[in-house]
């Protein structure tokens, strides 16, 4: 699958595999929403990802958190 032009939401994007995935997808041309709980770590991922990535701070471990993150992305 070619991610160029796709919109991708990556949770856990502030470390490990999530971070690597977010960076690689953004560099391949996807519009990536970097979702994480820690703003500083999210900004570090954003710096690596470059253009085409945005940060959404939120906790997707609860239903309310998922709804909040989704509302932010949809806005």
């Amino acid at each position: 699958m070619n991610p160029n032009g796709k919109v991708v939401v990556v949770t856990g994007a502030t470390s490990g595999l999530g971070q690597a995935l977010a960076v690689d997808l953004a560099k391949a041309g996807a519009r990536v929403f970097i979702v994480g709980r820690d703003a500083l770590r999210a900004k570090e991922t954003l710096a690596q990802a470059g253009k085409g990535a945005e940060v959404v701070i939120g906790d997707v471990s609860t239903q309310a958190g998922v709804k909040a993150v989704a509302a932010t992305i949809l806005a």
Side-chain angles (χ1 to χ4, degrees), residues 10-15 34-43 45 55-62 65-66 69:
V10 181
T11 61
T14 59
S15 66
I34 297 166
V35 179
R37 295 176 294 180
D38 185 308
L40 181 59
R41 288 172 43 186
K43 287 180 183 178
T45 303
V55 170
V56 178
I57 300 301
D59 184 353
V60 295
S61 67
T62 67
V66 170
V69 167

Side-chain angles (χ1 to χ4, degrees), residues 5 8 14 18-19 23 25-26 28-29 45 55 70 72:
V8 182
T14 59
Q19 184 179 45
V23 170
L25 288 171
T45 303
V55 170
T72 299

